Structure formats: C-alpha cells, structure tokens
C-alpha cells in the first residue's frame, strides 16, 4: 500500500516480506522445532534402542558387549520367549474381537438411533473413560475381581459360586481367583480399550448415508440382510481402525498383566523385566522389536483396507 | 495512452506438470470492467490470484498500475479481492470486518469507523454493523465482502465468482448493482466467472480462457458475434460448429466454421421463396424443442450434418413437424471461419 | 436421520455404557469404606475419615505437585511444537507432508513401553541423570500429537482464504497471525492444551522409565496398587484424579464440539 511504502518498513514487515519471497524458508522455520524435537528425542532414542538389539550381554560380567551379533535374536526365538509372544498376540486378538463385538452395537446406536442431545451424552460417556486415568480404571477392576470383591459377592447372592469356581477351574484361562486369571485380565483389557473401538466405528457409521439403508430395504432386504450386506462392509474400515488401537495397546501393555494376571509374562513385562532387574538391555530391545514388527504388518494390511480414512 | 491498470506479459504458472496458466498476455485499461471467462480449471482463477499476489508467476511478469509486482507481497499491492467463499472473518463483527484493512494499516479508530459505515451504506447494509457473519444471509455476506474490499478504494478490485453461491433472482439483482457501483466508483474491476451470460451482460471487455490460455479477448459483442475458435463459439452462447470436411457449402476451402442458431432461418420445403443474400440447404427436421420464447429445431441436412436453428415464437401458426422436409437458409456474413484453438 | 432401535440393540448399547461406567462408581464407593485391609463387598461401614488421612499425607502432596508441574511444562512445549507442525502441514503441500503427520503420531501409535524404554536407554547412553526434565521430555513427546490433531482439525475447518483475505487487505504475516489465525485457533489450542494436560497428568507407562526416584501421582498410585497400605486412601486419590481429568476433557469437548471429534485419534 502507498502508506506502507512511504514510511521505513518495520522489522516485522521486513521479515514478513522476506518470508513471502522465500516460502520454503518459512516452511523450514515452522517445521524445524517439532521435527528436531521428535527426530532427536524420539527417533534418536528409538534407533539407539533398536541398535542395541544387535548387541549381546556378556554372560560372565553381565555387561553389554558392543559388537554386532544376532545371538540376542536367537535368544528371542527360544521356546520360552516365543510362548510369551504368542500368549500376548492371542490375548490382543481376543480383546480386539470382543471389543469389536461389544463396541459395534454401542456405535450403531450412537450413530443411528439417537437425537443430537442423546448423541452428545453418548459421545461424552464414551470419551470420558477414554481420556480419564488409565491407572484408576485398572484399579477399579482390582476391586471388582478381588476374591472378596463385588463379582464374588454377586455370584454368592445368586447362589452361583459353584459356577464361578467351575470357570476358574478351567485349565489355562482359570486361576486361584478372577484377579489372577486370564479371564480377569481379558476383562480388564476389554474394559480399558473398548472406547478406542467405539469411536472409529461410530465415525464410519456416521458417514453411511441413511439413503443407502432405505435403498436396501426398498429393494427388499430385511434388516438383517441390510446389516450384513450394506452396513457391515461400510463400517468395516472403522472396525479395522479401532482394532489398530485395541491390538497395539494390548500388545505393549505391561501394567495390566502385572496387576491382574498370573506369573506368566507378556511382551511388555518381558521388556520391563529384561531392562530392569535382569539388566539385559539387548534382549529387552529385541523384545520391543516384536510389537513394532507386528504393528507394521498390521498397519500395512489396515491401510490396504482403507482404515486410515476412518480415523 | 494511459498506463493500463493491470498488464500480463507472457505469464506462465504450473503446478507440477500441469500448466495452469500458459503464456498469457493481456492488458486491462484503467476504469474498465474486465471479465475472465472460462470453465473450471481453465486458469482464470490462477490469473486472478497472480494479480492479488497469492501466486507467483513462474515465467513472465505482471504489472499493476505500471509497477512490476515481482516479489511484492499481497499486503503491499493496491488491489483488493472479493473471495468466492467471501472469507469473512468469523470472529469479527460486520463493522470490524469492513474496517480490518484500515485497522492493519494504522488508520485511527474514529476514521475507520466512519469509512466502514460509508462502505456499508454503499452496499445498502446499514444497521447490520454489529452482526456476526454467521448471522447474515448469503446475499448480505456477499455485500459485506464487497464493502470490505472497497473500503480501501483500491486501484483494482478482483472478484472471484462473487455471485456463484447466490440464487438466480438475487444474482441478477447483484449484477445490476455491481455494474452500477463500478460505474459510480470508477475502479477497475477484474471479474472471474464461468457464466457466459454474466460475462456478456456486465463486461466492457472479456477474455475467454481455456486450458490455461486466452482464446480470445474483446468486447462482448465482438466475442459473441465473431468467435475465433471452436471453443469460444461453443462456450460463449450456442453455435453450430461444422468441421472442415463438411463445411464446403458454407465457405471456400476445408475450414471449420461456426454459425449461431438464431442467425438461420428454417422454412417448409414447399414455400421456398429465394431471398437476396441468403444461401440454402435442404434437410429434414429431426427434433423439436419448445423453449417458451423460441423453438429450437434440429435439422439434419442431406449429408448427415445436423444443425440447430432457433426461431422466435412470434406466433405458432408456422410450426414445423418432425420428419418434415425443410430448407435452411443463412447469410454468408454470419458464417465464422475458425482458427485452431488450444483445445 | 433417526431410526428406531430394537430392544436388543438398546440393551446392548446401554449395557455397554454401564460396563464403561459402573467400575468408576465403585472407586467412589470404596473411598468411603471402613475396611482398609481388603476389598470386601459390600463395605461393612461408611466413613469420610480417609479424605482427612489423604489430606495429611505429605507423599501424596509431593506427588501431586510434581505431576502438576510436569503436566504444565509438557503442555506448554506441546502447544508450541504442535501448533508449528500443524501450521506447516496445513499451509503447504510439500514433499514428505504425509511423513511428518506419521512422524508426529508415532509416539502414541507405538506401545508406550517402547517410548519409555527407548528414552531410558538413551538417557543411560548419554549419561543424563533422571530428573524433572527427563519426565517432561517424555511427556512432551507424546503430548505434541494431541495439540497437533486439534489444531490441524481447526485449520481444516477454517477457510484458507481467510489468511489470504487478511493479507489482501494489507496485513503482513505477523498481523495476519495475530488478528486472524490466533483468534480462529484459540479454542482449539485451549482444548488441545487441556487434553495434553490430562494426558500428561495421568501418564504412567512412559513415566516409570523416565522418573528415577521421583513419584508423580500415577507412579504413587502404581506403587500403592502393587503394595497396598491404606487401600481407601488410594481410592480417595483416584476419585481426585478422576475429577481433575474429567474437567479439562469436558471443557475441551465443549470448546471443539462444533468442529470435528477430537479424541478419535486416541492417546
């Protein structure tokens, strides 16, 4: 403008002009701080850790020997460790399937059967647990699952203690009480990660135009057929997106198996134990590669199904 | 001759391998209402953004008021823009929106309030100063955007499809008002539109864009009456375009030609009377569309060339029927020889 | 469009909600129980004395102070970095734009234990002693994404031509930021900051690896869970933590509810 040209431009104006002429410089200035932070603090540490998985521990001194070896990976594939990986992956898969089955009706109800006010209530009711304290919510289940806790009391009131005992007597999934069994652990995982499944499914369902459902029933499909042939395929990317969270989060958790569960380790606990008390950083590093690899495969598959559009 | 308000000299702009603007040159005279007309993706909006300074040309240069705009940021250019989506600041009142351009250039509060009210009364929006943009109708928002762009009395006002979101009645009313406002203020308007009727009715001159190039520049009459390329003939109004292989009855040599449907006559074969200066060809009516004020006949000539002929509905007595044998007539001077455009 | 739900669907939906919320109610109940050795149900008696006990416990106050400080500093860092990244990704389509988004999401996409152990081993390698700042370093890293998501969502909703309109009317880059960009993203920043605070305030997995001897409130709770002393006191703290995290989440929700859903991308 004429007024701006007449007076000597201020420093801010000169800087602004310079950045207008060099948009790339502006972009670099914007990107540098976050990328430097994440690049150095996060990626730097991550790669340092992964690099250590190629080192090994000296059996006599207990110190890390810093030369390239695959012996730590050989150790990772020992039967005991493979058991840990399989156990964790199975638990993650079971939790994911259960969360999808339980989350879908809630998401469907939210997306299709509520008015704006009720939808907001539902949305908050799902989001509050998602954001509220993870530890507090785990703790709540310790209260519920304890031998003298509410579930035991509930079964006793119904004179069904024999049923609970029968379930706990089952091999593998049972245990001395719910709070030290896989059933208990499964319930806690399901409870903690369920909101992560509901929200993406709800988002995917919201995007299905109601006219599709009308069209389906107009063409003679009864509600079950509409659900199977129209709604489910369109909601599937949302389910996959939700499963990324439930699966990944279960895979890496070490606190829930520590508080609710038996002495048999999960991947997260193995990492924790090896880096902590055992001081075997290379093996801990190799163990943390496992969820990364599993998630990389999972994400590639999910991307092909279009799950990222539903996030 | 005075300095043009805007000059383009061989301007090019590409995004990746796409040539959005390709070697465009033109000049807009001071005080002119200049339209850039073309389909979406033809480069007209990119040209507007180059004038505003949101895009930099990759080749060529542009001048505003004779001054080279290379490296001059938008906020130091004496041009203002009315955006297609109006781009009103949602967090400011109408008055603050209009006064914004004055506020950031340091005009004092009393003065900018006065000028904002002035601009608002110019677009007939008195009394809405304290509303938020979200509380206005589409037409009112359009007027606020206009007032905001005019409050600084720029050398050139850029309008990017400003009436596109309005319904037909309101659009026609705004066309009249915009034109009157431009005449009253004497500001140069550069107006982007894809609506050929709008461009024809409002502009002093217009440039027809296609594929990043200017196909033709001229007054509305010149462009309509004398389309130079098949694209212009088809995009501005309706034309019969006949390719070189079938044009021999219209013109000497194998050149593509265009002729407007309303410039032709169609008569039943049995009442042929020769008329001076007209040529004729025989054919059959293959389709009839009744348009209220006129009727459009599709006539297929003996060599399978199909022509449209529009006949005003003065009375309905002489109406033809489908499959009726007819004769089409036209004047030689209404046949336009086309050069190759960029399409 | 609203459809009528069948009875089965209603039961499944409301049953699911109950499943999500009843356990939180139990925490509240157990904060008043007179039984402090076990989780006996129903509680043999009710008392408010645990609130007084908790109030007088210095270790809880220390943990709370540390948590608040860490969350505040991490939130500020995340606000700056997240906004810069969002602005960069929004304003231009540069090469590697997708990679930047992925990069920012990575710290929450990978299990927290990996972030934690990476940082811990990096601190060991670089001989950095554990301190307040090592905790902040970890927390800020995963809080960036929360701010980033909120601000990017707001940018996406804000018309790009607003910035152009401002420049067109004579405002330079700084004026445009101050008068147009900042007012438009202010509520998104506030919401993102609140969520980042909530996230940092109850983070436990990464913190166990970066905290050394210090205890944040979640670390304190974790110790109590593994080796309980006065169980109802833990419940009192849990009730407090629920209250402290619910408020920012509710505020963030109401600040951004007209835009896109915020929390979809998770922790």
């Amino acid at each position: 403008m004429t007024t701006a040209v007449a007076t000597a431009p201020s420093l801010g104006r000169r800087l602004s002009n310079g950045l207008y002429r060099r948009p790339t410089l502006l972009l670099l200035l914007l990107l540098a701080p976050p990328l430097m932070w994440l690049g150095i603090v996060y990626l730097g540490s991550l790669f340092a850790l992964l690099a250590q998985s190629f080192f090994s521990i000296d059996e006599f001194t207990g110190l890390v020997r810093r030369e390239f070896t695959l012996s730590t990976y050989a150790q990772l594939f020992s039967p005991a460790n493979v058991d840990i990986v399989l156990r964790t992956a199975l638990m993650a898969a079971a939790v994911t399937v259960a969360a999808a089955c339980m989350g879908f009706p809630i998401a469907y109800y939210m997306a299709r059967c509520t008015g704006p006010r009720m939808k907001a209530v539902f949305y908050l009711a799902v989001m509050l647990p998602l954001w509220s304290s993870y530890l507090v919510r785990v703790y709540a289940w310790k209260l519920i699952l304890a031998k003298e806790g509410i579930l035991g009391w509930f079964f006793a009131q119904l004179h069904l203690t024999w049923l609970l005992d029968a379930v706990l007597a089952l091999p593998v999934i049972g245990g001395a009480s719910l709070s030290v069994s896989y059933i208990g652990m499964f319930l806690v995982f399901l409870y903690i990660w369920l909101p992560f499944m509901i929200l993406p499914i709800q988002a995917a369902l919201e995007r299905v135009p109601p006219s599709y459902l009308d069209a389906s029933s107009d063409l003679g499909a009864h509600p079950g057929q509409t659900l199977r042939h129209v709604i489910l395929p369109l909601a599937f990317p949302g389910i996959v997106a939700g499963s990324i969270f439930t699966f990944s989060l279960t895979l890496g958790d070490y606190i829930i198996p520590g508080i609710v569960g038996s002495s048999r380790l999960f991947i997260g606990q193995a990492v924790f134990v090896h880096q902590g008390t055992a001081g075997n950083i290379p093996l801990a590093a190799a163990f943390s590669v496992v969820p990364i690899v599993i998630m990389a495969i999972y994400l590639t598959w999910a991307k092909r199904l279009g799950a990222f559009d539903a996030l | 001759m005075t300095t043009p308000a805007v000059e383009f000299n061989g301007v090019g702009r590409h995004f990746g391998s796409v040539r959005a603007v390709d070697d465009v040159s033109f000049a807009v005279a001071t005080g002119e209402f200049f339209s850039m007309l073309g389909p979406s993706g033809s480069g007209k909006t990119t040209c507007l953004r180059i004038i505003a300074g949101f895009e930099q040309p990759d080749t060529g240069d542009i001048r505003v008021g004779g001054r080279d705009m290379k490296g001059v940021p938008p906020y130091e250019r004496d041009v203002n823009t009315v955006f297609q989506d109006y781009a009103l600041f949602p967090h400011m009142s109408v008055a603050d929106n209009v006064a914004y351009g004055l506020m950031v250039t340091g005009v004092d509060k009393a003065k900018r309030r006065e000028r904002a009210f002035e601009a608002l009364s110019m677009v007939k929006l008195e009394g809405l100063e304290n509303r938020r943009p979200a509380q206005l109708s589409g037409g009112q928002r359009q007027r606020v955007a206009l007032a905001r762009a005019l409050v600084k009395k720029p050398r050139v006002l850029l309008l990017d499809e400003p009436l596109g979101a309005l319904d037909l009645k309101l659009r026609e009313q705004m066309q009249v008002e915009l034109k009157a406002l431009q005449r009253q203020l004497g500001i140069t308007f550069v107006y982007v539109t894809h609506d050929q009727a709008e461009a024809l009715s409002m502009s002093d001159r217009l440039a027809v864009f296609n594929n990043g190039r200017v196909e033709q520049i001229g007054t509305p009459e010149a462009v309509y009456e004398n389309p130079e390329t098949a694209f212009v003939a088809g995009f501005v109004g309706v034309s019969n375009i006949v390719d070189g292989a079938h044009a021999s009855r219209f013109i000497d040599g194998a050149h593509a030609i265009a002729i407007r449907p309303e410039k032709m006559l169609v008569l039943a074969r049995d009442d042929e009377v020769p008329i001076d200066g007209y040529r004729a060809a025989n054919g059959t009516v293959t389709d009839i569309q009744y348009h209220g004020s006129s009727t459009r006949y599709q006539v297929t000539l003996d060599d399978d060339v199909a022509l449209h002929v529009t006949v005003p509905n003065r009375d309905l007595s002489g109406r033809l029927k489908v499959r009726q044998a007819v004769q089409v007539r036209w004047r030689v001077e209404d046949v336009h020889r086309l050069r190759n455009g960029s399409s | 469009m609203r459809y009528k739900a069948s009875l089965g669907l209603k039961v499944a939906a409301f049953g699911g909600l109950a499943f999500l919320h009843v356990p939180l109610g139990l925490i509240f109940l157990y904060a008043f129980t007179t039984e402090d050795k076990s989780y006996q149900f129903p509680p043999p008696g009710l008392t408010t004395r645990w609130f007084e006990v908790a109030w007088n416990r210095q270790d809880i106050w220390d943990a709370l102070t540390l948590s608040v400080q860490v969350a505040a500093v991490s939130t500020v860092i995340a606000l700056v970095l997240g906004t810069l990244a969002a602005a960069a990704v929004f304003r231009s389509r540069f090469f590697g734009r997708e990679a930047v988004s992925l990069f920012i999401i990575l710290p929450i996409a990978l299990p927290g234990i990996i972030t934690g152990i990476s940082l811990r081993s990096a601190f060991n390698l670089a001989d950095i002693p554990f301190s307040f700042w090592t905790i902040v370093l970890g927390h800020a890293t995963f809080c960036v994404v929360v701010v980033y998501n909120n601000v990017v969502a707001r940018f996406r909703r804000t018309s790009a031509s607003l910035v152009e309109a401002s420049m067109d009317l004579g405002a330079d880059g700084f004026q445009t930021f101050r008068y147009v960009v900042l007012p438009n993203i202010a509520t998104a920043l506030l919401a993102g900051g609140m969520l980042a605070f909530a996230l940092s305030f109850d983070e436990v997995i990464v913190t166990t690896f970066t905290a050394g001897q210090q205890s944040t409130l979640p670390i304190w709770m974790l110790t109590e869970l593994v080796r309980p002393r006065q169980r109802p006191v833990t419940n009192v703290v849990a009730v407090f933590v629920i209250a402290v995290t619910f408020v920012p989440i509710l505020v963030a929700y109401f600040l951004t509810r007209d835009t896109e859903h915020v929390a979809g991308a998770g922790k």
Side-chain angles (χ1 to χ4, degrees):
Chain A
M1 305 289 130
T2 39
T3 49
V5 176
T7 55
S10 69
L11 180 66
R13 179 57 68 105
R14 286 213 306 270
L15 200 59
S16 180
N17 288 357
L19 290 175
Y20 171 78
R21 278 165 213 138
R22 285 175 221 81
T24 323
L25 179 67
L26 174 60
L27 185 62
L28 279 181
L29 284 177
L30 289 175
L31 272 180
L35 288 193
M36 297 251 288
W37 179 285
L38 288 170
I40 293 172
V41 174
Y42 188 71
L43 273 197
S45 328
L46 195 60
F47 281 123
L49 176 75
L50 297 186
Q52 292 190 63
S53 68
F54 295 102
F55 297 156
S56 66
I57 199 117
D58 191 302
E59 288 185 16
F60 299 106
T61 60
L63 293 175
V64 175
R65 204 168 354 154
R66 295 195 175 174
E67 39 192 78
F68 179 82
T69 167
L70 288 173
S71 67
T72 306
Y73 279 98
Q75 220 181 324
L76 180 67
F77 287 107
S78 71
N81 289 338
V82 169
D83 264 0
I84 295 179
V85 172
L86 286 180
R87 186 180 301 140
T88 314
L90 271 178
M91 178 59 85
V95 169
T96 301
V97 170
C101 294
M102 196 162 177
F104 189 85
I106 305 177
Y108 187 82
Y109 189 82
M110 275 174 87
R112 286 266 172 268
C113 310
T114 52
R117 189 173 289 265
M118 198 57 183
K119 195 188 295 265
V121 170
F122 258 80
Y123 185 72
L124 273 178
V126 173
M127 202 176 67
L128 278 176
L130 186 148
W131 280 96
S132 70
S133 177
Y134 159 88
L135 211 51
V136 168
R137 299 200 303 134
V138 176
Y139 178 56
W141 278 86
K142 200 159 158 117
L143 307 179
I144 295 169
L145 296 174
K147 213 179 181 72
E148 71 282 7
I150 185 168
L151 262 184
W153 175 82
F154 202 70
F155 275 97
Q157 292 296 303
L158 296 172
H159 303 289
L160 287 173
T161 312
W162 57 270
L163 181 65
L164 183 63
D165 289 339
V167 171
L168 286 173
L170 290 174
V172 187
I173 61 167
S177 90
L178 276 175
S179 62
V180 292
S181 69
Y182 283 152
I183 302 178
M185 196 194 296
F186 167 80
L187 282 173
V188 180
F189 271 131
L190 177 62
Y191 170 73
I192 300 283
W193 306 139
L194 183 60
F196 288 90
M197 181 62 95
I198 298 175
L199 291 178
I201 300 182
Q202 186 239 345
L205 284 173
E206 293 275 359
R207 265 175 278 184
V208 179
S211 59
Y212 287 14
L213 310 189
D214 295 342
S216 171
S217 62
D218 182 61
L219 294 167
H222 52 71
Q225 288 172 314
T226 302
L227 179 71
R228 201 171 135 235
H229 297 292
V230 180
I231 301 172
L232 272 183
L234 289 170
F236 194 64
I239 299 176
V240 175
S243 76
I244 293 171
F245 293 116
T246 53
F247 197 80
S248 159
L249 291 167
T250 311
L251 217 51
D253 196 281
Y254 77 95
I255 289 189
I256 292 173
I259 291 177
V260 183
S262 62
S263 55
R264 281 166 294 195
L265 294 182
F266 276 63
I267 292 180
Q269 289 171 292
V271 173
F272 188 72
V273 168
H274 285 299
Q275 70 85 33
T277 42
N280 189 346
I281 293 278
L283 188 56
F287 253 116
S288 35
V289 172
V290 176
I292 297 179
V293 169
I294 295 180
M295 282 323 290
I297 296 168
Y298 201 96
L299 287 176
T300 320
W301 173 74
K303 186 163 186 162
R304 209 170 295 162
L305 290 173
F308 291 110
D309 309 329
L311 283 180
Chain B
M1 184 177 161
T2 52
T3 328
V6 178
E7 271 175 283
F8 271 56
N9 273 317
V11 170
R13 176 86 176 109
H14 49 79
F15 301 104
S17 60
V18 181
R19 291 188 164 279
V21 176
D22 189 6
D23 192 24
V24 166
S25 302
F26 63 82
V28 181
T30 302
E32 191 173 28
F33 195 121
F34 186 85
S35 289
M36 302 199 278
L37 172 68
S40 62
S42 60
K44 56 191 195 305
T45 295
T46 308
C47 281
L48 193 84
R49 293 171 57 80
I50 288 173
I51 305 174
F54 307 138
E55 306 272 355
Q56 294 287 310
D58 296 310
T59 55
D61 58 88
I62 74 147
R63 289 166 182 279
V64 174
R67 181 177 162 216
D68 186 2
M69 286 290 118
K70 188 176 174 55
V72 178
Y75 46 84
E76 291 186 349
R77 297 187 181 203
D78 199 1
V79 300
N80 288 124
T81 307
V82 177
F83 290 82
Q84 188 173 12
D85 63 357
Y86 312 144
L88 299 180
F89 304 126
H91 57 291
M92 294 182 194
S93 67
V94 166
D96 287 343
N97 259 287
V98 176
Y100 183 83
L102 304 170
M103 189 260 293
V104 293
T105 38
V107 176
D108 71 68
K109 205 162 187 172
K111 185 86 187 149
R112 54 183 201 247
R113 206 169 163 70
E114 184 190 320
R115 281 177 63 184
F117 276 63
E118 216 172 89
L120 282 168
S121 78
M122 204 156 63
V123 297
K124 307 189 180 100
L125 270 188
E126 298 98 332
L128 298 178
E129 292 83 5
N130 296 320
R131 297 265 189 100
R132 290 288 167 117
Q135 300 168 303
L136 301 178
S137 71
Q140 290 170 329
R141 282 182 218 182
Q142 213 283 325
R143 286 163 190 267
V144 176
L146 191 60
R148 186 178 70 174
L150 284 171
V151 80
K152 293 178 83 175
K153 303 193 172 73
R155 181 188 294 270
V156 180
L157 185 73
L158 308 174
L159 302 103
D160 184 7
E161 310 231 5
L163 310 181
L166 305 181
D167 61 46
L168 185 65
K169 269 270 178 305
L170 199 51
R171 194 155 69 216
E172 283 171 351
Q173 183 193 338
M174 282 306 294
Q175 285 173 6
V176 176
E177 284 189 33
L178 267 179
K179 185 72 191 161
L181 204 59
Q182 191 258 344
R183 238 180 262 127
Q184 174 200 334
L185 297 171
I187 291 177
T188 310
F189 276 32
V190 177
Y191 192 97
V192 162
T193 180
H194 65 266
D195 179 344
Q196 48 95 20
E198 193 169 284
L200 288 176
S201 65
M202 296 174 81
S203 321
D204 294 325
R205 283 193 310 144
L206 58 99
V208 184
F209 278 74
N210 186 34
N211 288 332
R213 289 173 159 272
V214 175
E215 296 252 336
Q216 190 171 351
I217 300 184
T219 61
E221 293 82 2
V223 170
Y224 186 85
E225 298 290 336
N226 237 321
E228 289 172 5
T229 68
F231 176 80
V232 174
F235 192 78
V236 183
V238 182
S239 289
N240 291 299
I241 296 169
V242 182
D243 61 41
H246 296 92
S248 55
R249 72 162 63 83
F250 295 97
I251 201 167
D252 298 329
H255 283 288
I257 63 100
I259 181 164
R260 300 284 181 191
E262 75 272 17
K263 304 280 185 188
M264 305 172 89
L265 302 172
V266 57
L267 308 161
R269 196 79 66 82
D270 34 2
D271 48 41
E272 297 164 27
V273 189
I275 313 175
D276 274 350
Y278 278 76
R279 288 201 190 178
N282 288 333
T284 316
V285 175
T286 42
D287 186 43
I288 302 175
Q289 284 180 4
Y290 176 67
H291 286 181
S293 63
S294 63
T295 302
R296 190 168 81 171
Y297 295 98
Q298 187 188 50
V299 179
T300 305
L301 302 186
D302 300 340
D303 56 357
D304 274 350
V305 170
L307 294 174
H308 286 122
V309 182
T310 307
V311 180
N313 289 336
R314 249 186 309 271
D315 60 73
L316 297 178
S317 59
R319 294 232 296 179
L320 304 166
K321 295 182 195 68
V322 174
R323 277 196 289 278
Q324 190 171 352
V326 291
Q327 189 171 68
V328 179
R329 296 190 185 181
W330 65 90
R331 293 190 308 180
V332 183
E333 56 265 42
D334 289 327
V335 176
H336 308 293
R337 184 178 144 168
L338 303 174
R339 68 175 160 82
N340 288 329
S342 58
S343 50
Chain C
M1 184 67 76
R2 243 175 109 167
Y3 283 78
K4 202 151 169 53
S6 66
L7 184 67
L9 181 61
K10 265 190 188 156
V11 169
F14 285 96
L17 277 201
F19 177 66
L20 284 175
H21 287 274
V22 168
L24 292 179
L26 288 176
I27 297 247
F28 195 71
L29 174 67
Y30 275 96
F32 297 94
T33 184
T34 47
E35 166 66 49
D36 68 341
K37 295 290 181 294
S38 74
Y39 300 120
Q40 190 191 340
F41 188 89
L46 296 176
T47 171
T48 53
R49 81 178 195 90
W50 303 115
F51 284 84
E52 195 191 324
V53 174
W55 183 268
N56 292 322
R57 283 269 293 268
Q58 189 54 41
D59 55 338
I60 296 176
W61 282 108
D62 292 343
L64 176 64
T65 316
L66 182 66
S67 277
V68 169
Q69 286 169 341
V70 167
V73 177
S74 305
T75 301
V76 170
I77 296 174
L79 279 174
V80 173
L81 297 180
T83 309
L84 285 175
V89 166
F90 172 71
R91 75 174 295 282
S92 40
R93 343 197 121 262
F94 54 89
F95 178 75
R97 188 161 164 259
E98 303 262 302
V100 171
S101 295
L102 183 72
F103 194 37
I104 287 167
I105 293 166
L106 205 59
I108 56 155
L110 289 181
I113 189 163
I114 294 181
T115 310
I117 186 180
S118 303
L119 289 172
R120 187 185 185 95
S121 74
F123 293 148
N124 282 335
L125 286 177
D127 265 335
I128 301 172
F130 294 113
S131 68
F132 174 78
W133 292 105
T134 54
I135 307 177
V136 167
L137 214 61
H139 283 201
T141 305
F142 57 74
C143 284
V144 171
V145 64
V146 182
V147 177
Y148 171 84
N149 275 353
N150 269 279
V151 177
V152 153
R154 180 62 58 87
F155 271 141
R156 235 180 251 145
R157 197 186 59 122
T158 310
S159 151
S161 51
L162 285 188
V163 170
E164 287 177 352
S166 168
M167 302 263 253
D168 185 70
L169 292 164
D172 63 30
F174 297 98
Q175 289 173 312
T176 299
F177 181 78
R178 182 170 150 210
Y179 295 123
V180 174
V181 178
L182 204 54
N184 270 297
I185 64 168
T187 51
L189 280 180
L190 193 54
M194 293 223 153
L195 291 175
F197 188 93
L199 190 56
S200 165
F201 188 76
D202 60 44
E203 209 292 330
V204 64
I205 296 190
V206 176
T207 319
T208 47
F209 291 97
T210 56
Q213 296 305 314
Q214 308 189 63
S215 273
T216 61
L217 208 53
I219 299 271
W220 178 89
M221 277 193 67
L222 184 61
T223 334
E224 292 293 311
L225 284 188
V226 178
R227 275 186 301 279
R229 280 190 289 169
Q230 291 167 301
R231 295 178 195 228
V233 173
T234 319
N235 283 74
V236 170
V237 174
V239 168
F240 174 75
V241 168
I242 292 176
V244 167
T245 46
F246 268 33
V247 171
I249 296 159
L250 281 173
V251 173
Y253 170 76
F254 285 107
L255 286 175
T256 55
R257 67 172 169 172
D258 298 329
T259 65
E260 293 170 59
H261 293 167
V262 198
K267 285 197 175 181

